[in-house]
Amino acid sequence: MNILAIESSCDDTGVAVVKDGREVLSSVIASQVPEHILYGGVVPEIASRRHCESIYGVTEKALEDAGLTLSEIDAIACTYAPGLIGALLVGVNFAKGLSYATGKPLIPVHHLRGHVASNYITHPELEPPFLALVVSGGHTHLIHVKDYTDYEVIGRTRDDAAGEAMDKAARAMGLPYPGGLNLDKAAQGGDEKAYPFPSPHVDNAEFDFSFSGMKTSVVNLIHNKEQKGEPIDVQNIGASYIHCVVRSLCNRTEKAIERFAPEKVVVAGGVSANSFLRRDMKKLCKKHRVKLYFPELKYCGDNAAMIGSQAYYEYQKGHIADLKLNAAAVLDIDK
Ligand code: KG4
Ligand code: ZN
């Protein structure tokens, strides 16, 4: 089954063709980074407009790369939630138009389910159940993935997402957008113990996260240094800060491993590209003899291939939308 999938939840316009949930025939992304870099972050209004301008061309290229015509596509999928509402609406409405014109089924996909599915592409043998750590710009979740469309969230952030915490720290350090990636690069080889940032504790919720305290702490540290005219030691501050975020992610994951004894742990979302997280999760899973899965780097960030992968499993469960489908800025993964 060939699914043409559309992803437009943030600042990447992605279209992909995926066969039977696992084989990527094409994956095209029009990045808006050069424009948002001017503002230090994503400007929602600009993102929506750029999606409008590029979605047709990206779709044409995805079909061309796959060597298929629209008539050889079996279903149309799109990310419908969560994300920037104006950005999502462009993808949803384009997908509805394609579905209406071709008569092919329309499959709505939750963005975070897509991130989890990016691992099905990289690891064709991977099947649920597993424990998933989903770490993106807007979400930080520990999830029991019981089946392809059956999820139970066991922990989540009480405030900022891990990616947002990385982005804000990077911005305070004067690093350009996209912050998380540039912070990771700048911190390579830095001393992770140079600056002790606070470890968050969330009362009565051992699998929940909190990143706002450490974010405020790094921002204050940088402002103090700036006021005193001291240089900002980006490499060591960055390494210590990432260490602190990653320690929190690994610590909650370890508690969940000890409690639920999963055979497999899957990490997904933009922050799964982080080199410190990859290193420490490997150590953790080795210690507990648990199999660990990360997506290939190119599928860590937003892309439409992961949406096409998840759409295959949604379709098998009969999760088809009609043309009244709307987008939603907020939606739990288990809804
Ligand atoms: O999943 P994603 O591409 O978009 C959302 O669904 O939010 O995640 C984007 C987030 C951003 O906060 C970005 O800074 C972060 O992932 N990110 C990273 C790295 N690459 C991307 N954070 C830390 N280290 C990285 N290498
Ligand atoms: Zn994402």
Side-chain angles (χ1 to χ4, degrees), residues 5-18:
I6 296 170
E7 156 61 42
S8 70
S9 66
C10 191
D11 61 336
D12 291 306
T13 318
V15 182
V17 180
V18 181

Side-chain angles (χ1 to χ4, degrees), residues 7 66 92 198 255 310:
E7 156 61 42
V92 166
K255 283 187 174 155
Q310 179 61 23

Side-chain angles (χ1 to χ4, degrees), residues 68-149:
L68 297 174
T69 61
L70 202 49
S71 59
E72 291 165 294
I73 295 294
D74 301 301
I76 312 291
C78 63
T79 305
Y80 77 113
L84 299 174
I85 193 66
L88 285 167
L89 281 167
V90 177
V92 166
N93 281 292
F94 195 78
K96 281 161 73 167
L98 284 178
S99 169
Y100 185 53
T102 58
K104 313 280 176 176
L106 176 65
I107 311 170
V109 177
H110 189 286
H111 183 73
L112 297 185
R113 293 187 181 198
H115 272 303
V116 172
S118 61
N119 279 282
Y120 302 142
I121 298 169
T122 304
H123 309 284
E125 77 290 359
L126 175 64
E127 288 180 359
F130 50 76
L131 175 73
L133 173 69
V134 181
V135 270
S136 71
H139 298 84
T140 306
H141 282 1
L142 264 173
I143 306 171
H144 274 313
V145 179
K146 299 177 189 169
D147 204 344
Y148 289 103
T149 58

Side-chain angles (χ1 to χ4, degrees), residues 94-318:
F94 195 78
K96 281 161 73 167
L98 284 178
S99 169
Y100 185 53
T102 58
K104 313 280 176 176
L106 176 65
I107 311 170
V109 177
H110 189 286
H111 183 73
L112 297 185
R113 293 187 181 198
H115 272 303
V116 172
S118 61
N119 279 282
Y120 302 142
I121 298 169
T122 304
H123 309 284
E125 77 290 359
L126 175 64
E127 288 180 359
F130 50 76
L131 175 73
L133 173 69
V134 181
V135 270
S136 71
H139 298 84
T140 306
H141 282 1
L142 264 173
I143 306 171
H144 274 313
V145 179
K146 299 177 189 169
D147 204 344
Y148 289 103
T149 58
D150 187 3
Y151 309 79
E152 183 190 351
V153 177
I154 58 167
R156 61 175 75 225
T157 181
R158 294 294 184 94
D159 39 57
D160 298 329
E164 193 183 346
M166 300 275 196
D167 292 340
K168 294 273 162 60
R171 199 170 170 170
M173 284 180 227
L175 295 170
Y177 168 83
L181 175 62
N182 288 320
L183 185 62
D184 191 1
K185 283 187 189 156
Q188 292 298 316
D191 178 359
E192 295 170 44
K193 301 267 158 48
Y195 295 85
F197 290 112
S199 273
H201 174 77
V202 183
D203 283 339
N204 305 321
E206 59 181 324
F207 306 121
D208 279 359
F209 305 90
S210 167
F211 297 105
S212 69
M214 56 179 97
K215 187 188 75 183
T216 307
S217 168
V218 74
V219 170
N220 287 344
L221 175 79
I222 291 160
H223 286 169
N224 280 339
K225 281 185 175 288
E226 280 170 350
Q227 278 164 0
K228 289 183 197 155
E230 291 175 9
I232 309 296
D233 175 11
V234 173
Q235 189 187 24
N236 288 332
I237 299 177
S240 304
Y241 182 74
I242 296 175
H243 169 77
C244 181
V245 174
V246 166
R247 186 179 55 202
S248 170
L249 294 171
C250 289
N251 173 291
R252 304 298 187 280
T253 306
E254 180 162 33
K255 283 187 174 155
I257 291 173
E258 284 166 355
R259 171 78 70 86
F260 303 107
E263 281 177 23
K264 303 167 224 172
V265 169
V266 165
V267 187
V271 184
S272 67
N274 184 268
S275 61
F276 296 65
L277 179 64
R278 287 183 168 241
R279 180 199 64 195
D280 291 356
M281 284 296 290
K282 272 181 202 149
K283 272 191 219 153
L284 176 69
C285 288
K286 195 170 171 201
K287 175 178 157 197
H288 290 276
R289 299 210 174 94
V290 176
K291 282 196 85 176
L292 173 65
Y293 300 84
F294 276 101
E296 249 175 282
L297 283 179
K298 67 176 171 182
Y299 296 127
C300 287
D302 292 344
N303 66 87
M306 66 187 196
I307 303 302
S309 172
Q310 179 61 23
Y312 179 70
Y313 300 102
E314 299 288 347
Y315 181 80
Q316 289 185 338
K317 284 278 172 189

